[in-house]
Amino acid sequence: MTAPQPGQPVVFRNATVLTMDDAHTVLSNADVLVSGERIAAVGPGLAVPDGTAEIDAAGGIVMPGMVDTHRHMWQTAMRGYGADWTLTQYFVYYYLQWGKIFRPEDYYAGNLLSAIEAVDAGVTTSVDWSHGLRTTDHADAAVDALESVPGRFVLGYGNIFAGAWEWATTPEFRDFYTRRIDGKGDMLGFQIAFDLPGIEGFPEKAAFDVARDLGVNVTTHAGVWKVTGDVGINQMYDGGYMTPGTIYVHAASLSPDSYHKIAATGGFASVSTESECNAGQGYSPTWRLRKYGIPVSLSNDTSVWWSADMFAAMRATLNADRAKTHDEAHEKDETLTNHFLRAEEVVDYATRGGAKALGLDASIGSVEVGKKADLVLVKNDNSPVSFPVLHPYGHVVYQAGRGEVHTVLVNGKVVKHDHKLVGIDLAAAKAKIDATIEYLKAEHGAEEWEKGMHPEIPEHEILNNPYTYRDDVSAWKESD
Ligand SMILES: [Zn+2]
């Protein structure tokens, strides 16, 4: 099977289609025709123009491209390095010790691999929550990498090494926006990315004013245990900066009052369930956000632990939400007999929910005529988990994985076909990553590099067990 040529119309034949339209219509044995950048027709047995490339989607699921609303793409250069970290270890590593040594070329390498990984996994839109931009040279490198990969991206411009009120107000920042972002439309969006730890006097106000002046949204890690909490939310609220379209990343450890404020002002949550469960920002909050009516999108945070895999994000989110509701019931000596959160809703979080959070709902997020063609075909004829497809949402969340991503279109362009990336040089990306790893290792020294990956295990974990009666365990017996 050869990949469709650029500009050639494409039709998916005989798919199960999760349209993710307002009614969440699911179609069986349906076709999806793409012409130019857009979806031209959806329905059974479509007549198509001469020269249309046909993709046999029988047995597969066509769904909207997935949207990741928060990912620190530069850190993909260190894929998996922090698997055993807590958030504290992450902060020490990137904020205090080593984040500063990333050069523009390291930034480029991380972003490049991250962007390739995203489109390969069917994530057609990614927010690059780019918080290591010490100079605009780093920012140029970040955008150079994003523009070299045929995905849809939003640059969340940030810099953890200085106050947002310092860097966002500089002429260099304004010049960067004018040079690299302004006029790129829906292929390269822009947010200003910074956090509010509750500094007295609310200096971040200046950065909010820049966002307002440029007409762009702010994305902020909010509700991160003991780091960003209600004080920051109140500063934003009192200043009138909780505007519609603001994204609150994690939104885990907040008071009822803060959740009400987010809901009332048109904010969106970006939930990174694997991150919250592992790093410790607070219990992954979808169970709570539902109660306040806060719209949810999903994200993967950073590949220093996790990958760009939104199947994993959906699965983790359903797991964490259901675990919480079971546990709440058990605490009350009750049994939960019906789930509140369904697989269908989590697929919405990963697609339409992300599009809405980014203000892109008019262009992407559903399989509907007239929308931009950001599409994923989930199908793998060599996989025993590919059939039977009985509950298509459940199949996507619990059965499929990135290995089932057969074809991906972004803005009408085929970027992956028959399980292979189209026009992407993975070997060149690997060479750049190798050079970055070599540089980082040399800067750290071999011992520090190894140590960084293997933090100490704390001493106290196993409880003293009163029922132990082995002779060699004497503490309880002696007190008897
Ligand atoms: Zn983050």
Side-chain angles (χ1 to χ4, degrees), residues 70-72 75 90 129 131 195 221 249-250 272 275 281 299 301-302:
H70 147 246
R71 192 145 179 264
H72 308 293
Q75 295 172 348
Y90 171 88
W129 220 103
H131 59 352
D195 298 339
H221 294 96
V249 176
H250 302 306
S272 312
S275 179
Q281 294 88 346
S299 57
D301 206 345
T302 167

Side-chain angles (χ1 to χ4, degrees), residues 369-387:
V369 172
K371 281 213 173 176
K372 294 289 187 74
D374 286 12
L375 298 169
V376 174
L377 169 61
V378 176
K379 172 180 160 113
N380 185 352
D381 291 339
N382 295 317
S383 166
V385 301
S386 66
F387 62 90

Side-chain angles (χ1 to χ4, degrees), residues 291-464:
K291 297 176 186 174
Y292 291 93
I294 296 170
V296 176
S297 66
L298 297 185
S299 57
N300 282 306
D301 206 345
T302 167
S303 287
V304 80
W305 279 273
W306 313 284
S307 77
D309 186 345
M310 292 294 281
F311 296 98
M314 287 188 278
R315 192 170 303 169
T317 301
L318 207 48
N319 288 347
D321 191 289
R322 289 174 173 180
K324 182 70 189 175
T325 48
H326 281 301
D327 201 44
E328 275 189 326
H330 298 175
E331 285 286 320
K332 292 185 280 185
D333 200 29
E334 291 172 357
T335 303
L336 185 74
T337 53
N338 283 290
H339 285 304
F340 293 98
L341 187 63
R342 303 302 167 102
E344 174 176 343
E345 202 57 36
V346 176
V347 175
D348 187 288
Y349 291 171
T351 53
R352 194 88 191 269
K356 286 177 180 168
L358 300 178
L360 292 172
D361 191 42
S363 327
I364 60 165
S366 59
V367 185
E368 293 181 272
V369 172
K371 281 213 173 176
K372 294 289 187 74
D374 286 12
L375 298 169
V376 174
L377 169 61
V378 176
K379 172 180 160 113
N380 185 352
D381 291 339
N382 295 317
S383 166
V385 301
S386 66
F387 62 90
V389 177
L390 304 176
H391 183 316
Y393 294 111
H395 200 91
V396 165
V397 175
Y398 279 133
Q399 304 298 324
R402 62 196 307 164
E404 275 70 54
V405 174
H406 177 289
T407 294
V408 180
L409 270 71
V410 180
N411 211 42
K413 186 175 176 188
V414 178
V415 301
K416 184 179 185 184
H417 178 253
D418 198 16
H419 299 280
K420 286 186 266 310
L421 288 163
V422 176
I424 285 175
D425 189 347
L426 201 54
K430 185 171 185 305
K432 293 197 184 305
I433 291 288
D434 287 347
T436 284
I437 295 300
E438 199 177 320
Y439 159 75
L440 292 176
K441 273 185 173 172
E443 290 290 304
H444 289 59
E447 200 181 325
E448 273 299 307
W449 176 260
E450 279 303 313
K451 224 172 83 187
M453 254 183 287
H454 304 293
E456 276 175 40
I457 298 175
E459 265 177 53
H460 306 291
E461 168 84 358
I462 298 170
L463 298 171
N464 203 4

Side-chain angles (χ1 to χ4, degrees), residues 160-245:
I160 49 179
F161 306 109
W165 58 94
E166 295 168 320
W167 52 261
T169 52
T170 60
E172 298 81 41
F173 175 81
R174 186 65 69 125
D175 172 62
F176 171 82
Y177 178 80
T178 309
R179 279 191 296 113
R180 300 304 302 264
I181 306 291
D182 206 9
K184 295 281 169 69
D186 61 15
M187 290 307 290
L188 182 62
F190 193 73
Q191 298 174 330
I192 304 185
F194 58 92
D195 298 339
L196 288 104
I199 301 168
E200 221 177 292
F202 186 35
E204 296 88 353
K205 179 183 185 303
F208 280 108
D209 287 334
V210 172
R212 181 168 289 179
D213 191 37
L214 293 176
V216 301
N217 285 320
V218 167
T219 176
T220 185
H221 294 96
V224 174
W225 180 253
K226 302 285 188 198
V227 181
T228 59
D230 297 320
V231 176
I233 294 286
N234 287 334
Q235 288 174 327
M236 286 176 69
Y237 187 79
D238 294 343
Y241 295 109
M242 288 184 79
T243 47

Side-chain angles (χ1 to χ4, degrees), residues 20-68:
M20 306 318 293
D21 64 6
D22 288 344
H24 283 186
T25 307
V26 179
L27 304 169
S28 303
N29 291 316
D31 302 346
V32 179
L33 174 65
V34 174
S35 178
E37 296 176 351
R38 295 182 188 273
I39 298 167
V42 182
L46 293 178
V48 301
D50 287 346
T52 298
E54 303 254 346
I55 296 175
D56 174 13
I61 296 170
V62 170
M63 60 185 280
M66 291 172 275
V67 180
D68 184 332

